[in-house]
Amino acid sequence: MRSLAYLAMRPSGRIDTSLAKDILTMRIALLIASLGFAAVANAQIPQPPFGSTFTAALTRGYWFQAPANGVVTSISVPNEASQPFQAIEFIDFGTTPPPAFNATVVGTQLHYSNNTAGGSSVPVAIPLIAGRHYGVLGACTNAVGSTTSYNSYATGGGTFSSTILGVPTTLTRLLTQSGIGGSGGASSACSSEAGGTLSRVNLTIVDTCASVLTTTAGGNAQNGTMFNIVNTSASALTIGSFDQSFPVAGTAALVEVYTKPGSWNGSEQTPAAWTLVGSTTNLATAAGPTLTPIPVPVNVTIAPGATQAFYVTCSAANPVAYTTGSNQLGAVIGSDGNLQVTAGVGVSYPFAGIFGLPTAGRLWNGRVNYCLTAQPATNTTLGAGCGGTFNSFYQLFADAAAAAPGLTGNTLQLTPTANGYQGAWLPGTAAANFVLPTGGVALATGDDGVVNYTIATAPFPTPQGPQATLQISGNAIIAWGAAAMNYPGTNSYTPTAGGFLNSALGGIYAWHDYNVSEGGQILAQEVLGTLFVTFNNVENYPTNVANPSTMQFQLNLATGRVRIVWLSVDGSTASPFGTRHLVGVSAPGTSADPGQVALATAFGGQLLTADPEVAALAVTANTLPLVGTLWQLTTSNVPATGAVGIDVFGIGDPGINDLGFLGAPGCGLRASTDVTNAWFVSGSTHAYSILLPANPALLNFNLYTTSAVFQAPAVNALGAVTGNGVRATIGNL
């Protein structure tokens, strides 16, 4: 890991940033290539040239009918007027286009924003469904919330012949009689007006469709072929159409496509098991290996992991081409990252003779055209960063059955630092550390009560300053100061993390529901510069049962060192009020939750407190991981002593939450180091990103990232702290 810091260093020890960028670009390209990801259609739809800026409290745009499925991944407004902001609204009008002006319609709003920089690309993920009508309104504005719209009017009229993913469509002027920048997100009433001037808004659209070719080797033919398609992706996919190889050029009088759930095997001659998808007549066919598109919309959706059978067949005089298999029945004959086509059998028309059994198989010669359905993109935080400091640590034992063996015979020692405590667990030392009380003052806490205790000899030094007065609870809490003790979100006898972390006073906790009213004593005694607070054979609930515990707080009034010594802890869980124990130390006021530790196995960093708190190195995703867009991230809480940072991208999660074996206890590694990039620390935050190719094969693929920062002077043997990981599940929505 340490060597990552020197990835792009010259012998001088200085990072060559241009070299680092070249290395990063090259390694990302290699990573993408190694996964077999190829670019597909990803284009800004063509628009007419700029003509003039139309300025009014009115916003314009255009509408279109989607000629193909796709996903809008970014929107921007051309900013010829150099305004600071832009307002954008994207609308679904459904199966009916917007009416001609003066009539209006309110569609379904799919996106609205009014606070992005003028002319900037706004990442979105808006699925387009072929045949539906969509509109976009957009203008630049002089202020967020302003109705004044600076519309980018095109040259020409109100219509323009454009394309989406290479398929022709027409853009038609769309208008609303208000400035959408001031709408607050309310859906706009819209009209179409082909006679006006179209207003320009940039849309980038990516394809979610792909094709899988089997073979065109030919060599044999029959009326039809049965084969299976298996969805190997994690999202549903829809078969759109087939392209078929024919042995000769000519005219196919009748071509039919049938389908059934599951495999064809066993249903070759059972027409009732199949559904006719559609048919076409008098189809002009090319001779193989040229493929002929079959103009039958299939539109069959296959669930993730499911198998669907198909039967492409012609009438008796018109065979389709296939290849005789060699022990290939059921073999994969075409695939990508989303589906597999497997070899089946030849079947004469209709559902008659079978060819290719029992093992040879017949290899369908053709191409499957399909589209993936919308796949949500998500970001998931993995693990936690390190390098942060908390002003608390604690362990919450669920009940006395867990606490008794965990605490009995042991000592927790708290040694003061400049701004907190360093904890240490001292197993098996209670007998040696316990000091038998020889008098002292019995504290009248009663059941669940608190006494105000004034130290007679010298104030007790704490990270928050010397304390002349302490609050001592009958439930084993010693808090700082003279104010009242509180228990946010709970009560005095039910230990919780929130009640501990958010206490107004802070202090030292061995919190448990004791019952001194039933038996035992709580004694305070100052001897040789140490305040001893001893719970001497103090009873626990339930009542009328002998179940005492003995433990002791030791506060060194000169050094501030604290020991909590558990000589014996009752293990009964019979109390009707619960038998939890919470052990720890916390500064006054609201504290961040570090998560509970296991005192018996915690390493030093987990038992270190500091006040004020410092947040751990954190990695946050700023955008969703959408195909065809930049996945943008921020590393925050970069330490002021940081020198060099490392961004890490990987295709796996090592799942390492503690790099103690590399000299960085408490630090994790939640992304495999497939691609790394070094950067100079220049502030408390660092932005980085990766371009996700516009390829449907990436949908539902997981990509991982994290960051590390090397510090001077080093904070551990590794010399670095690491951030949490983030898992991107790539999607188009």
Side-chain angles (χ1 to χ4, degrees):
M1 185 77 176
R2 182 188 291 273
S3 63
L4 299 181
Y6 308 104
L7 173 67
M9 283 191 177
R10 295 193 180 278
S12 65
R14 295 185 178 181
I15 296 177
D16 184 330
T17 54
S18 62
L19 177 60
K21 291 178 181 177
D22 290 344
I23 291 174
L24 177 63
T25 301
M26 177 181 68
R27 295 192 67 187
I28 289 175
L30 289 173
L31 174 65
I32 299 299
S34 70
L35 297 171
F37 300 152
V40 297
N42 172 30
Q44 189 176 106
I45 65 173
Q47 298 182 90
F50 172 68
S52 62
T53 298
F54 171 62
T55 305
L58 309 167
T59 307
R60 306 295 189 241
Y62 56 84
W63 66 267
F64 59 90
Q65 184 176 23
N69 292 337
V71 176
V72 181
T73 59
S74 69
I75 309 176
S76 64
V77 180
N79 191 15
E80 295 86 5
S82 301
Q83 296 303 306
F85 299 100
Q86 61 187 358
I88 297 167
E89 184 176 1
F90 195 93
I91 306 158
D92 180 1
F93 294 115
T95 57
T96 304
F101 186 76
N102 287 327
T104 64
V105 67
V106 176
T108 301
Q109 187 182 91
L110 302 181
H111 172 83
Y112 176 82
S113 59
N114 68 350
N115 59 355
T116 56
S120 66
S121 179
V122 179
V124 295
I126 303 172
L128 301 180
I129 300 173
R132 294 182 72 86
H133 299 81
Y134 300 92
V136 61
L137 298 167
C140 290
T141 61
N142 54 14
V144 174
S146 171
T147 60
T148 303
S149 301
Y150 295 80
N151 297 276
S152 177
Y153 267 19
T155 57
T159 62
F160 179 75
S161 296
S162 184
T163 59
I164 291 178
L165 301 174
V167 184
T169 193
T170 299
L171 309 183
T172 302
R173 168 182 163 97
L174 182 70
L175 61 89
T176 187
Q177 295 297 82
S178 63
I180 66 170
S183 73
S187 297
S188 299
C190 299
S191 306
S192 174
E193 192 177 44
T197 302
L198 186 146
S199 191
R200 307 185 317 145
V201 183
N202 300 322
L203 297 181
T204 299
I205 300 174
V206 302
D207 196 353
T208 60
C209 302
S211 299
V212 172
L213 178 68
T214 59
T215 178
T216 56
N220 205 343
Q222 188 46 255
N223 298 126
T225 312
M226 289 183 180
F227 55 92
N228 290 336
I229 296 178
V230 182
N231 181 354
T232 58
S233 76
S235 61
L237 55 81
T238 299
I239 307 301
S241 64
F242 296 117
D243 302 332
Q244 176 69 53
S245 179
F246 292 86
V248 295
T251 301
L254 175 65
V255 181
E256 295 176 333
V257 178
Y258 292 85
T259 189
K260 69 174 292 290
S263 175
W264 55 265
N265 201 339
S267 301
E268 301 93 313
Q269 296 175 320
T270 310
W274 296 79
T275 299
L276 177 64
V277 173
S279 62
T280 186
T281 58
N282 299 318
L283 175 65
T285 63
T290 300
L291 296 176
T292 300
I294 299 176
V296 173
V298 177
N299 292 330
V300 172
T301 298
I302 307 175
T307 297
Q308 189 80 16
F310 291 91
Y311 175 31
V312 179
T313 185
C314 297
S315 56
N318 304 103
V320 299
Y322 59 59
T323 301
T324 300
S326 175
N327 197 32
Q328 289 178 278
L329 188 72
V332 176
I333 57 175
S335 67
D336 62 5
N338 298 312
L339 65 78
Q340 295 176 342
V341 183
T342 62
V345 291
V347 181
S348 57
Y349 183 85
F351 300 99
I354 306 170
F355 304 87
L357 294 177
T359 60
R362 295 295 185 263
L363 316 185
W364 175 63
N365 281 204
R367 180 165 50 218
V368 179
N369 304 306
Y370 73 93
C371 295
L372 287 162
T373 56
Q375 175 63 44
T378 61
N379 294 305
T380 304
T381 299
L382 304 173
C386 65
T389 57
F390 296 88
N391 61 26
S392 308
F393 72 77
Y394 68 96
Q395 180 172 1
L396 178 61
F397 295 89
D399 55 32
L407 298 176
T408 298
N410 301 320
T411 301
L412 174 62
Q413 180 169 286
L414 304 173
T415 302
T417 64
N419 57 353
Y421 288 103
Q422 176 63 66
W425 186 248
L426 308 177
T429 62
N433 289 332
F434 185 80
V435 176
L436 189 68
T438 57
V441 178
L443 302 179
T445 64
D447 184 24
D448 303 328
V450 178
V451 298
N452 187 80
Y453 182 84
T454 301
I455 302 173
T457 52
F460 175 60
T462 73
Q464 288 73 41
Q467 307 293 328
T469 301
L470 303 174
Q471 301 300 309
I472 302 178
S473 161
N475 288 329
I477 303 171
I478 298 181
W480 316 147
M485 191 179 297
N486 68 338
Y487 318 91
T490 185
N491 52 53
S492 63
Y493 55 86
T494 306
T496 66
F500 160 77
L501 292 167
N502 301 312
S503 170
L505 301 185
I508 307 158
Y509 284 68
W511 192 5
H512 172 66
D513 185 18
Y514 290 104
N515 183 16
V516 72
S517 297
E518 188 186 6
Q521 286 185 304
I522 303 174
L523 299 171
Q525 184 178 17
E526 297 177 41
V527 179
L528 300 176
T530 299
L531 169 62
F532 296 90
V533 178
T534 306
F535 282 60
N536 192 30
N537 288 318
V538 173
E539 279 291 328
N540 299 267
Y541 283 97
T543 58
N544 302 318
V545 176
N547 53 349
S549 298
T550 296
M551 54 84 59
Q552 186 176 73
F553 293 94
Q554 301 174 359
L555 283 64
N556 189 303
L557 301 176
T559 66
R561 188 194 69 187
V562 175
R563 283 179 174 171
I564 310 176
V565 182
W566 290 271
L567 199 63
S568 63
V569 177
D570 169 61
S572 171
T573 60
S575 170
F577 307 111
T579 60
R580 292 178 175 183
H581 287 249
L582 187 147
V583 177
V585 60
S586 182
T590 302
S591 302
D593 189 349
Q596 67 167 314
V597 299
L599 291 169
T601 58
F603 50 83
Q606 291 179 296
L607 302 182
L608 178 67
T609 71
D611 192 23
E613 296 179 312
V614 175
L617 192 69
V619 178
T620 305
N622 304 320
T623 60
L624 288 172
L626 301 166
V627 289
T629 68
L630 279 176
W631 185 36
Q632 301 177 23
L633 304 111
T634 298
T635 301
S636 56
N637 307 324
V638 177
T641 56
V644 174
I646 304 290
D647 300 329
V648 177
F649 288 103
I651 59 174
D653 172 17
I656 301 172
N657 290 318
D658 189 350
L659 290 169
F661 62 94
L662 289 181
C667 297
L669 179 62
R670 299 304 300 267
S672 55
T673 56
D674 300 304
V675 173
T676 57
N677 179 51
W679 45 275
F680 283 122
V681 171
S682 59
S684 61
T685 62
H686 163 71
Y688 66 107
S689 62
I690 186 171
L691 177 63
L692 303 175
N695 189 333
L698 275 170
L699 294 178
N700 211 50
F701 177 78
N702 287 331
L703 182 66
Y704 300 83
T705 188
T706 189
S707 287
V709 174
F710 290 80
Q711 294 173 261
V715 293
N716 52 35
L718 181 62
V721 295
T722 61
N724 57 278
V726 178
R727 179 181 66 230
T729 300
I730 299 173
N732 56 17
L733 178 63

